[in-house]
Amino acid sequence: MTWFKIDDKFWSSPQRLGASFAAVGAWATAGSYCSDQLTDGIVSKNAQKMLGIRPKLAKELVEIGLWIAHENGDFEFKNYLEFNPSKAEVEERRERLREAGRAGGKRSGQSRRGEPGCPNTEANTKHHASPSLSIVPSETEASPVELPTRPVPTTSNEVVQREPRKRRAVTLPDGWMPPHDVIDAMRAECPTVDLQAEHRKFCDYWLSKGERRVDWTATWRNWIRRAAESPRTVARPASCPPSATLTPAEIKFAKAEALKENPDPRILAAAGISMPERSASQLDVWSQTAIEAAG
């Protein structure tokens, strides 16, 4: 007799909590079958029919990570041989017990017949002269009956490694805000971006789309980074010092602006680029533009 071993923490594992009771019952029943029939954790198609395991339950066990699907329609217990003996190990143990039983029976027969060379002839003679029978084998005899194996207990120091439960994609919750540490990190990484304005745009956009995401914090970070790379974020207030950190995209945009016939002086000042020399007519146009911009 063999045992299908179930961890004593299975009741609170993510796999059990994420499965229906019908799927858990199918899993336990199939485990008992595999242990009894020595299939090394394989649940064949015929076994599924015999045990009444519907395809829907088998698919659920695959999705939560308890079973592995094979192309031929069979299913396999995940990590079965890590916690349960294999067919070869069980058969080897049974053969050892049979050999021990045959050897013990041979020695017992020799002692009953009083053959010389048997170490327990006298003791066994007295034993058989007694009217009562003992069911306890002697020290030199091995019981031919296979005792059932017991699950190996785990100590409190052992840590059972479980795969983390997969996060589900959800729509953006109303009033969602990124963590404070993420806001601080993005403020340092993208100092030219108005985080409040971009956050309002972010929420309006994704709430209108209604799409699902697994990690909204990562989506928000990527949104802010794209806003920092956009040319519109290069334009700073006139009070912004030229020494402020610019991204490569901002510097490239400012240099392109300097090549224009009428560049925006605010962009050049923010990038620390001096106003290029122009002709008198060009300077008049630029001066008028600067006056209107400073307006």
Side-chain angles (χ1 to χ4, degrees), residues 98-111:
R98 283 193 291 266
E99 289 293 335
R102 285 192 289 266
K106 182 178 180 180
R107 288 193 297 270
S108 178
Q110 290 175 346
S111 65

Side-chain angles (χ1 to χ4, degrees), residues 97 100-101 137 141-147:
L97 291 173
E141 294 183 8
S143 173
V145 180
E146 179 186 356
L147 299 178

Side-chain angles (χ1 to χ4, degrees), residues 1-3 5 34-35 37-41 79-98 146-147 149 152:
M1 179 186 297
T2 56
W3 293 76
K5 300 171 184 176
C34 293
S35 180
Q37 298 298 313
L38 303 179
T39 67
D40 288 350
N79 302 328
Y80 179 88
L81 295 180
E82 292 185 15
F83 306 102
N84 297 274
S86 65
K87 177 180 180 180
E89 292 172 343
V90 173
E91 291 180 342
E92 181 183 358
R93 184 178 67 249
R94 290 178 178 176
E95 182 60 27
R96 289 200 306 268
L97 291 173
R98 283 193 291 266
E146 179 186 356
L147 299 178
T149 58
V152 179

Side-chain angles (χ1 to χ4, degrees), residues 157-188:
N157 294 330
E158 294 181 358
V159 179
V160 179
Q161 298 293 335
R162 299 186 178 91
E163 292 186 356
R165 186 176 183 179
K166 293 183 179 179
R167 298 171 59 184
R168 296 182 178 180
V170 296
T171 57
L172 182 68
D174 292 335
W176 179 87
M177 286 290 294
H180 293 293
D181 58 335
V182 175
I183 296 176
D184 294 339
M186 296 310 299
R187 182 178 290 113

Side-chain angles (χ1 to χ4, degrees), residues 21-281:
F21 276 97
V24 173
W27 178 81
T29 302
S32 174
Y33 165 83
C34 293
S35 180
D36 177 59
Q37 298 298 313
L38 303 179
T39 67
D40 288 350
I42 301 297
V43 185
S44 63
K45 291 189 292 185
N46 292 334
Q48 297 168 38
K49 294 179 182 179
M50 179 181 66
L51 299 175
I53 300 177
R54 301 188 302 275
K56 180 180 179 180
L57 297 179
K59 181 180 178 181
E60 181 179 350
L61 291 173
V62 172
E63 292 176 349
I64 63 177
L66 290 177
W67 277 8
I68 300 173
H70 289 184
E71 295 181 355
N72 60 356
D74 295 348
F75 292 92
E76 178 184 354
F77 275 78
K78 190 172 184 180
N79 302 328
Y80 179 88
L81 295 180
E82 292 185 15
F83 306 102
N84 297 274
S86 65
K87 177 180 180 180
E89 292 172 343
V90 173
E91 291 180 342
E92 181 183 358
R93 184 178 67 249
R94 290 178 178 176
E95 182 60 27
R96 289 200 306 268
L97 291 173
R98 283 193 291 266
E99 289 293 335
R102 285 192 289 266
K106 182 178 180 180
R107 288 193 297 270
S108 178
Q110 290 175 346
S111 65
R112 286 194 300 270
R113 291 191 297 270
E115 296 180 5
C118 183
N120 293 328
T121 302
E122 182 179 354
N124 281 284
T125 303
K126 294 181 179 179
H127 170 74
H128 288 288
S130 174
S132 61
L133 297 178
S134 173
I135 61 173
V136 180
S138 65
E139 295 181 356
T140 58
E141 294 183 8
S143 173
V145 180
E146 179 186 356
L147 299 178
T149 58
R150 296 295 191 272
V152 179
T154 59
T155 63
S156 58
N157 294 330
E158 294 181 358
V159 179
V160 179
Q161 298 293 335
R162 299 186 178 91
E163 292 186 356
R165 186 176 183 179
K166 293 183 179 179
R167 298 171 59 184
R168 296 182 178 180
V170 296
T171 57
L172 182 68
D174 292 335
W176 179 87
M177 286 290 294
H180 293 293
D181 58 335
V182 175
I183 296 176
D184 294 339
M186 296 310 299
R187 182 178 290 113
E189 181 179 340
C190 306
T192 64
V193 178
D194 186 345
L195 295 186
Q196 294 183 357
E198 291 299 329
H199 179 72
R200 289 192 294 269
K201 296 177 185 178
F202 175 85
C203 293
D204 290 342
Y205 176 82
W206 289 111
L207 288 174
S208 64
K209 295 282 286 185
E211 295 182 5
R212 297 174 180 267
R213 291 291 184 275
V214 174
D215 191 341
W216 280 110
T217 300
T219 306
W220 186 83
R221 285 197 299 263
N222 290 331
W223 179 284
I224 300 302
R225 292 189 181 107
R226 285 194 294 269
E229 296 172 357
S230 175
R232 65 176 179 271
T233 62
V234 177
R236 294 189 176 91
S239 59
C240 182
S243 60
T245 304
L246 299 179
T247 65
E250 291 175 337
I251 296 175
K252 183 178 180 181
F253 177 76
K255 290 181 178 179
E257 184 71 17
L259 299 176
K260 293 182 179 179
E261 182 177 351
N262 297 313
D264 189 334
R266 295 174 300 176
I267 296 178
L268 300 185
I273 301 176
S274 59
M275 189 67 185
E277 295 182 0
R278 307 293 185 187
S279 64
S281 59

